[in-house]
Amino acid sequence: MVFVEPPEDWEEETRLVHGGEYRDSETGSIVTPIFVSAIYKYPEGNPYGYKYARNSSPTIEALERKAAAVERAAEAVAFSSGMAAISSAAMALLKPGSKLVTTKDIYGTSYEFFTTFLRSYGIEVDERGVGEGVLERIDKNTDVVFVETISNPLLIVPPVDEIAKACEEVGAKLIVDNTFATPINFLPLKVGAYGVVHSASKYLAGHNDVLGGIFATNDKKFALNLKNVRRMLGGIPDPQQAYFIIRGLKTLHVRVAYQNEAALRIAKFLRDHPKVERVYYPCLEEHPSYPVAKRLLKGCGGVVSFEVRGNGFDAIKVMKKVKVVQRTASLGGVESIITHPATMTHHTVPPEVRKELGIKDNLLRLSVGLENVEDLEADLDQALSSI
Ligand code: PLP
């Protein structure tokens, strides 16, 4: 076997560094090579061999094997973006007449895809409520349930274990978007989820320099079906992209451990700041999801949201004043990032829905990177002092 198959007893850190790596005895390579070939010698007698890079290729397979090893899944399927993973998995799982249960506070483009695209193909989408409000809507007509481990931007943690149990009782499949938590803080398949998706563009790759998506599951038959769907829809990453994600994954545990701790410190710093009205971080006792987060998560990740004392213009002013923290919309990378949800990530959400979700105009979302925590606090302090 060319790919490193992690033994059962390897822990997360060892799986991240060595799992799935392509190591051939001929060259003795330690690091997975970027196989740029788009075409492969036709594999006679082996229907699963490489043929054409839209189907698969060795660097993609190395990424899939590493992602599966880390999510403790039998199989993972790699995609060119998180949205390619989510849309392809949804299309592989649902057909006209199927019912999807989800929430309003999922990632905006997932919400848009479910409520516009899927609905237009005759799929019933029930998206009332926020993170916790899923349980009571799961019934025998439900085919798929889609939740995020930590929602955006108010960081609600749904009881994924209870949701998985409810899904099992009615024969529904639970898909968990684990982007914000990462496999370091939570392993959805271990509590009974059917599938896990990631925007690998965030923590998994971790350097704000590549897009990617992952779907992981223990259902080998479905993974094969999903690879077929990917072949038809064309959402495979290119080998260079896959390599960047593989490289990022090798340091995921170190980055996320730092980000868990740094974000908790910054959440406490913001809670005590006179220019801050309210802080949202599920590892703080005052967050409504604290009991669930304490039960399920090893850490709460690098994202902290907070309302400034003032209005939306004050929030924008603070966002424009930061110098170390960068003003943009992503998360999970080495650079700290600040976002104004009402005008950036959630500007397409109608004001009345934002209100219903609790996303106020004075809310800012901070993705804590790998900078020195005191430098970040000083930067936030000087920006907050401007209002
Ligand atoms: N899921 C979550 C929670 C996200 O935050 C994002 C992107 O921001 C996505 C999915 C989509 O991922 P991508 O941008 O890689 O398509």
Side-chain angles (χ1 to χ4, degrees), residues 162-237:
E162 291 168 15
I163 296 170
K165 207 174 270 171
C167 283
E168 201 189 321
E169 276 162 21
V170 297
K173 294 184 165 94
L174 172 62
I175 309 301
V176 178
D177 183 330
N178 204 28
T179 300
F180 271 55
T182 82
I184 302 303
N185 288 325
F186 187 56
L187 291 167
L189 299 183
K190 280 215 162 167
V191 299
Y194 175 79
V196 186
V197 288
H198 277 279
S199 167
S201 329
K202 310 297 185 304
Y203 291 98
L204 300 194
H207 292 71
N208 290 321
D209 55 5
V210 69
L211 298 184
I214 295 289
F215 185 97
T217 182
N218 282 321
D219 185 342
K220 288 186 177 186
K221 208 167 144 200
F222 176 71
L224 196 60
N225 180 23
L226 186 58
K227 282 180 185 169
N228 256 332
V229 169
R230 180 183 66 183
R231 178 176 56 77
M232 291 186 271
L233 298 179
I236 197 165

Side-chain angles (χ1 to χ4, degrees), residues 79-86 105-110 146 148-152 177-180 197-202 210-214 329-331 345 365:
F79 289 90
S80 55
S81 69
M83 281 317 302
I86 291 167
D105 57 344
I106 52 172
Y107 173 61
T109 310
S110 304
F146 182 95
E148 292 178 359
T149 328
I150 303 177
S151 80
N152 173 24
D177 183 330
N178 204 28
T179 300
F180 271 55
V197 288
H198 277 279
S199 167
S201 329
K202 310 297 185 304
V210 69
L211 298 184
I214 295 289
S330 196
L331 63 115
T345 48
R365 187 188 80 189

